[in-house]
Amino acid sequence: MRPTVHDIADKAGVSLATVDRVLNDRPGVRSVTRARVEAAIAALGYVRDVAAANLAKSRVYPLVFILPEGDNPFMRGLEAEVRHAGLHSAAERTRLSVATVPAFDAAALAKAIDAAIAEDVSGIAAVAVDAPEVSAAIARAHEADIPVATLVSDLAGSGRDHFVGVDNIAAGRTAGSLMGRFLGGRPGPVAVLAGSMRVRDHGERLEGFLAAMSAMPEARAILPVLEGQDDPELSFSLIADCLANVPDLAGIYSLGAGNRGLLAALAERGRSDLCVIVHELTGETRAALESGVVDAVLNQDAGHEVRSAIRVLRAKADGLPVNAAQERIRLDIFIKDNLPAGPDEEN
Amino acid sequence: MRPTVHDIADKAGVSLATVDRVLNDRPGVRSVTRARVEAAIAALGYVRDVAAANLAKSRVYPLVFILPEGDNPFMRGLEAEVRHAGLHSAAERTRLSVATVPAFDAAALAKAIDAAIAEDVSGIAAVAVDAPEVSAAIARAHEADIPVATLVSDLAGSGRDHFVGVDNIAAGRTAGSLMGRFLGGRPGPVAVLAGSMRVRDHGERLEGFLAAMSAMPEARAILPVLEGQDDPELSFSLIADCLANVPDLAGIYSLGAGNRGLLAALAERGRSDLCVIVHELTGETRAALESGVVDAVLNQDAGHEVRSAIRVLRAKADGLPVNAAQERIRLDIFIKDNLPAGPDEEN
DNA sequence: CTGTTAGCGCTTTCAC
DNA sequence: GTGAAAGCGCTAACAG
């Protein structure tokens, strides 16, 4: 059997309480005693049973996820993952809740963060908007000793404790690289559809994409970025116009969440010879991939992100270290052939 | 606070023991009583605290992983993941061990399975070799009521309880699809390097690859499969010969673990214009991807597989259902640009 | 058939 | 500074 606190207490000739104090690094133990206990711990090769510890603590950790509202399928997927995790979270003594705010709305986001602070939650995960109000709100959370993790879109320099999401520059590079290879020698310019340059992930993806495209053997024109605000109608008309005005268009990179409008415009125009690369695997993009309208989908696994955010916030709340390498979210490439069978999965 | 067994007992007017019997579906409860308890459970929306249950049971689940020995980096990676999981497994009351057997050796594998049965482990995960001895050993495990999961390479029809691994036909298709797109109109035949047709995953990958290649717009010759036994030297000489004899070779698909030999032969020959697609992200293949020698790496996440195998075996040992969709292992595509930063990661 | 009681490994008052 | 004892939510003997 694995050694327990009792074994340590016996071996060190102290009581359980003292062992616990040493284990949890609490004050009120003479350094000699502490040393004796630590020796016993080392000698026995003790490892704490976290489950039992949590049970005894019976502390709950209320965490709040702040997500953009609206019909952005990726965000709704994230929300679903939070709710799903909520079912299992009981065992982890975590209570999850979701707050939604208008997309790209810095003031609303800041307000939601303040509300969470007021509720004295033990952690906040939020899809950041790049604005000073938001940074200020995060700073207030920090002051209230509430850990904050940015989700999907980062806000470095805001003092957030952790970023949960993919390397968006690398994501853009990946898109550019695939686009270049898939197009090969085929001529024609490429269009880019973004949501808004006010979220950092979109800007970073663009940056990576341009870098990769310009590194390709064949030079290729990139049209000015179309900002569709992740809005289906606006995205639709921007792409429709582009298709009409640029007959020799070779490809489209959709780096935001305007896929519904994009796909509608493509369907209307009936152009299937384009190389199309989009982000986020949703019901729509999956169908488009299967039908051949889209050539590749770059994805960040919402389930992984949610679980990572929970682990990180809990660790921060407990003052435990985070294994950054372990919490890295990777970028998935999907083509028609490696689509996972189910609409959802978890590992 | 969440309802507990005590609340149920109160509400139903019975004792804890009876609640426990109902909860765990044990005999010895009148159906009227059972119904009353079940009503209370439903009314309170009770969900069991698994951690507490495990603590109380203090039962341990010894699981054994049987892996091919040798310097196959993917297999060593799997082994490392098992050991890594072993550290955290304590909390899950699981004790993990690894047994290694010669690669592609059906008799040795069967013997290892029998040894595990003799030790009365509560679950076995093994990389299957396609042979009747192995099927027979799995059948004996089944008879001893020990769940068996095949890992990486399946053995359907053997009565194994579960397969943990990717859809290898889809993996081959993905390789073919990428190979076709990356080559575009470039002429020349493609070579395939396998380990052995005695493991099902290799056969299935080949099948998928051939199907995808033949579905490409440009017809392309596929050379006869080279079987390198996942041996560096043999793989090296097979590829070296091929490079020498087929000057217009356009690409190579390495569907087994012969990558070290393949890469050595490519380095010696100095051919970097080939389209090379390999399986499994290891230190070697990662370096080759970064240097541009390899164009894409198809990967199955060893960490996910190990954790999935553990969950599945534990569930089977407890007679609990497995959510198949949740345990699906997906096929990762890596190109230079979306390589994860660390050598290892976990989600 | 049902209830009582004593833990699982750890934390936490509250005395000493 | 240190220790004794109660209890987290659940399970498992053993009585009745």
Side-chain angles (χ1 to χ4, degrees), chain A residues 70-95:
Chain A
D71 61 356
N72 177 333
F74 175 71
M75 293 303 168
R76 297 290 70 77
L78 260 184
E79 185 172 350
E81 287 294 346
V82 176
R83 302 202 185 287
H84 178 81
L87 304 177
H88 265 265
S89 71
E92 269 81 50
R93 322 229 122 251
T94 303
R95 204 184 317 284

Side-chain angles (χ1 to χ4, degrees), chain A residues 14 98 109 118 155 169 176:
Chain A
V14 297
V98 178
L109 175 53
L155 192 41
I169 298 182

Side-chain angles (χ1 to χ4, degrees), chain A residues 155-287:
Chain A
L155 192 41
S158 66
R160 91 284 190 276
D161 296 83
H162 187 86
F163 168 57
V164 179
V166 299
D167 176 341
N168 283 303
I169 298 182
R173 261 203 325 264
T174 303
S177 210
L178 287 177
M179 178 74 74
R181 286 179 186 244
F182 284 178
L183 285 177
R186 231 184 308 162
V190 166
V192 176
L193 174 67
S196 161
M197 290 296 130
R198 295 197 55 195
V199 285
R200 238 178 241 188
D201 53 346
H202 290 197
E204 290 174 346
R205 286 174 187 173
L206 178 62
E207 177 187 341
F209 183 74
L210 295 177
M213 287 301 283
S214 71
M216 283 287 143
E218 298 88 359
R220 186 177 302 276
I222 312 285
L223 302 178
V225 177
L226 307 170
E227 277 191 75
Q229 303 299 327
D230 287 355
D231 175 72
E233 274 96 63
L234 183 51
S235 303
F236 173 87
S237 62
L238 288 171
I239 292 295
D241 287 355
C242 179
L243 290 173
N245 299 331
V246 189
D248 64 333
L249 192 70
I252 300 177
Y253 172 39
S254 167
L255 56 75
N259 294 326
R260 184 170 307 162
L262 163 68
L263 295 174
L266 286 172
E268 197 184 75
R269 197 76 185 179
R271 294 239 358 217
S272 58
D273 53 324
L274 289 172
C275 176
V276 179
I277 297 180
V278 308
H279 273 267
E280 316 316 356
L281 189 66
T282 64
E284 292 163 353
T285 58
R286 162 188 287 272

Side-chain angles (χ1 to χ4, degrees), chain B residues 81-130:
Chain B
E81 287 293 346
V82 177
R83 302 202 186 288
H84 177 82
L87 304 178
H88 264 265
S89 71
E92 268 81 50
R93 323 227 122 250
T94 303
R95 203 184 319 283
L96 268 31
S97 59
V98 177
T100 56
V101 296
F104 309 126
D105 184 338
L109 173 55
K111 218 168 115 189
I113 292 174
D114 284 329
I117 297 173
E119 278 177 34
D120 194 34
V121 298
S122 40
I124 302 173
V127 178
V129 177
D130 198 346

